[in-house]
Amino acid sequence: MPPRRSHKKSRAGCRRCKARKIKCDEVHPRCGNCVKHGVACDFEHPEVLADLQAAAAAAAQTPSTPATTVNFGSPIVPSAGHLSLASAPLARPLPPPPMSTTTAPGHRLLELKLMHHYTVMTCKTFTFTAPVTEDIWKITVPNLAFSGSQHLADSILAVAALHLRSINPNDKEIVRASHAYMAASLEEYSATLSQGINHTNAEALFLTAALIAFQSTATRVFMKDEGLSINSSSTSSLSSDPSKRHQQPGCYAIPFTWFHSFQGVKAITAASWQYLRVSPVVTQVINSQAALQLDFRTGPETFFGHLLEGLEEELSNPPSSFDARVPLTSRPLPPANSPDHISATRQAYQHAVAVLNWAHKIPHKGAPLAFPATVSKRFIELLEERRPRALAILACFFALLKSLDGVWWLQGMARREVLGVVSLFNSDFFGPDAYRKWWPHLEWAMRIALFEPERDGNGQQGGMPIPPEVWGSDWFAEERALEEQGREQGDYFGHIELLSQMSSAVNSIPTVPEYAAMMAGARGQGGR
């Protein structure tokens, strides 16, 4: 009897060959048997193992037993039971490869639902003032995300989840999804920023910055009235130091994260303008915005000119370093009486009031939303210092948002925020005389915030604007006048082009590393 031919056992073969009990040649990245039969090999596709596990779970299910899914790295992590590979029906044909290698099958349906909602409904709520950009937000932006921009994809899903949450506030799955995708988009976005901006990522970073600004605004809408105040449990260790009175329980909290996110759009635009200025997508989005036409007159002839009354006297007698309003920002500032500091403060107030005057004329065109993005860093510092004049300007800005109350991510914001800001004047934070002194500058904001527009037969807010005698101007007449001026002054693109050539303007824009730090800090608040 001829001797038996020696052979080498296959101990490291692919799982398919082991399941079929045939010898595997162990060739990578795809063994010969899998090539011969035209099937996936787990040498080349490690996720095939997960398919086998999923198939095992499906085979073990009964009609009354819920399916167990395997997490592939989605921001929304389900609980997974222990699965035994030996129980899988390995002799049966495998199911098709998964649609995604990053999301569990159960959550692929959620992501499809969110993407569908975004393209059908959510994207249109970004373009209510500029319908010409609808195709960009509906088609171009998702396609750009599909090309490999994870932070843009997560931002899209986050805003869609927030929109669905506004429709179904009790849907816990959607609430969790909104938190998860917001946190994921911020994390990936900050990581990408830290690696630097170049021609390959500038477009996606700009669009993600815009969506993050939408996220931060919409998140504020979901906070209950008490959510606008400092939580008492987080302030138990606060002392009675007067400089910390604004942190005491029940005190209104300014939405600085919102301002930082809108400032981020400005920072990204400035840092990557050399790439964005030649992008047809970005230039169309920018030019769809109403061009800034600022009037820097400081007298009573402008609507909000009264907010600058007494400014020079205030600048000549700056608050001392022991004033309870001042030591609230951790950034080192030049001496309050230095010429540069006084000039920066004056310009910050004048510019903020000029933006209010412009936005007041055409609020229906979305102009008020330019305020948090265009004010200077110094103005935000003044808000951090809780200066009464800065807070009065802030109240008027929030009142302007009443014109956009029908937009889901701004609904109710004017009333809620104006009442919050005014509550600071009506407390002991500024002392007993502050409310009486500043009420004439807050009266218009309160009147607008509390204004109730006419409603139709279904109880819905009508489409008519706030009457001119209440608002203080005729929107459509002012729009025609600004259009005439705009033909001479150019579009928004030209405005940014001009700013990019002015060193003084660039100095008022937060740097990208500074903005990245802001976003890293905001990441912890994304799940609020």
Side-chain angles (χ1 to χ4, degrees):
M1 188 175 193
R4 187 175 180 180
R5 235 174 11 174
S6 62
H7 67 283
K8 180 183 176 183
K9 287 189 176 182
S10 171
R11 300 187 183 278
C14 74
R15 292 186 179 273
R16 186 183 295 278
C17 289
K18 287 182 177 181
R20 296 180 62 197
K21 297 184 179 180
I22 60 176
K23 179 176 172 59
C24 180
D25 60 13
E26 301 180 20
V27 173
H28 285 65
R30 203 173 173 197
C31 75
N33 288 325
C34 290
V35 171
K36 178 180 177 181
H37 292 90
V39 294
C41 180
D42 63 349
F43 288 160
E44 182 179 17
H45 300 287
E47 65 270 17
V48 168
L49 175 59
D51 284 346
L52 296 174
Q53 292 175 324
Q61 297 296 327
T62 64
S64 61
T65 304
T68 302
T69 56
V70 183
N71 176 58
F72 288 89
S74 169
I76 308 170
V77 182
S79 59
H82 177 73
L83 299 177
S84 172
L85 184 63
S87 63
L90 299 179
R92 288 177 7 188
L94 285 171
M99 295 163 54
S100 167
T101 60
T102 60
T103 309
H107 296 297
R108 284 200 291 273
L109 293 178
L110 173 61
E111 292 191 341
L112 285 172
K113 176 181 179 179
L114 294 176
M115 183 58 71
H116 174 264
H117 187 80
Y118 172 84
T119 55
V120 172
M121 295 184 66
T122 306
C123 67
K124 296 179 181 180
T125 67
F126 303 153
T127 61
F128 64 96
T129 62
V132 67
T133 62
E134 183 175 325
D135 281 351
I136 289 179
W137 291 105
K138 180 178 181 178
I139 300 172
T140 309
V141 171
N143 280 337
L144 191 59
F146 298 154
S147 66
S149 178
Q150 186 65 46
H151 54 80
L152 183 55
D154 286 337
S155 294
I156 290 172
L157 297 177
V159 294
L162 286 168
H163 192 193
L164 277 172
R165 183 178 169 187
S166 71
I167 300 170
N168 303 300
N170 297 322
D171 189 328
K172 301 301 183 183
E173 181 184 37
I174 294 298
V175 172
R176 288 192 297 269
S178 66
H179 294 330
Y181 286 112
M182 284 173 61
S185 65
L186 283 171
E187 182 175 4
E188 182 67 25
Y189 180 59
S190 299
T192 304
L193 280 179
S194 65
Q195 296 170 7
I197 303 174
N198 54 56
H199 70 282
T200 64
N201 62 17
E203 224 173 31
L205 285 171
F206 170 84
L207 295 168
T208 299
L211 289 175
I212 287 175
F214 286 125
Q215 290 177 32
S216 64
T217 309
T219 303
R220 187 78 172 177
V221 171
F222 295 114
M223 294 181 182
K224 302 296 183 184
D225 289 345
E226 60 269 21
L228 297 176
S229 304
I230 300 296
N231 190 309
S232 59
S233 64
S234 66
T235 58
S236 57
S237 61
L238 291 176
S239 69
S240 58
D241 185 344
S243 68
K244 295 182 179 179
R245 280 183 292 180
H246 71 288
Q247 298 178 0
Q248 297 298 331
C251 190
Y252 169 76
I254 298 172
F256 286 111
T257 302
W258 186 24
F259 274 83
H260 291 156
S261 64
F262 272 89
Q263 289 279 306
V265 180
K266 179 168 66 174
I268 292 297
T269 302
S272 57
W273 186 242
Q274 58 178 319
Y275 311 120
L276 298 181
R277 65 189 304 274
V278 294
S279 164
V281 174
V282 174
T283 53
Q284 189 170 350
V285 170
I286 289 175
N287 275 335
S288 68
Q289 310 303 311
L292 281 170
Q293 299 176 38
L294 303 184
D295 183 353
F296 286 96
R297 290 178 295 172
T298 58
E301 60 269 19
T302 62
F303 190 80
F304 290 110
H306 62 89
L307 291 169
L308 299 174
E309 291 177 3
L311 176 59
E312 294 305 320
E313 180 182 357
E314 178 183 319
L315 294 175
S316 62
N317 297 285
S320 69
S321 59
F322 299 101
D323 193 308
R325 294 168 301 175
V326 175
L328 305 179
T329 175
S330 59
R331 283 192 293 273
L333 297 174
N337 57 354
S338 71
D340 288 344
H341 189 70
I342 292 174
S343 176
T345 301
R346 179 187 295 109
Q347 291 177 10
Y349 282 134
Q350 291 175 346
H351 179 265
V353 171
V355 175
L356 288 183
N357 282 322
W358 165 74
H360 177 255
K361 298 176 181 178
I362 50 171
H364 59 296
K365 304 296 288 184
L369 295 174
F371 184 85
T374 56
V375 293
S376 65
K377 286 195 299 181
R378 177 60 188 142
F379 181 78
I380 296 178
E381 290 170 357
L382 292 167
L383 287 176
E384 291 173 341
E385 295 168 14
R386 304 309 198 271
R387 297 291 183 90
R389 189 180 305 276
L391 292 173
I393 293 173
L394 180 68
C396 291
F397 155 64
F398 283 133
L400 291 175
L401 296 180
K402 187 73 172 184
S403 62
L404 304 173
D405 213 40
V407 182
W408 70 271
W409 44 277
L410 294 170
Q411 198 165 38
M413 184 169 289
R415 179 187 179 95
R416 193 166 52 244
E417 303 292 341
V418 169
L419 292 177
V421 174
V422 173
S423 71
L424 294 178
F425 291 89
N426 205 21
S427 67
D428 62 352
F429 180 73
F430 291 119
D433 297 330
Y435 187 76
R436 177 181 54 81
K437 176 182 177 181
W438 288 97
W439 172 248
H441 306 290
L442 299 168
E443 184 179 7
W444 178 85
M446 281 290 288
R447 185 168 67 250
I448 295 299
L450 298 177
F451 177 78
E452 290 294 337
E454 294 183 3
R455 299 186 177 274
D456 58 24
N458 297 321
Q460 299 297 316
Q461 181 176 324
M464 295 299 293
I466 298 173
E469 61 272 16
V470 177
W471 186 260
S473 69
D474 186 327
W475 298 356
F476 300 106
E478 294 286 1
E479 180 182 2
R480 289 191 294 271
L482 287 176
E483 284 177 352
E484 290 294 328
Q485 298 175 26
R487 295 189 183 98
E488 302 175 1
Q489 298 183 12
D491 53 19
Y492 209 105
F493 181 93
H495 176 74
I496 297 177
E497 188 81 355
L498 179 63
L499 285 179
S500 68
Q501 301 168 15
M502 298 169 58
S503 59
S504 60
V506 172
N507 290 336
S508 71
I509 298 174
T511 62
V512 169
E514 179 182 4
Y515 171 60
M518 293 175 187
M519 289 296 97
R523 202 180 312 155
Q525 302 178 25
R528 288 183 64 180

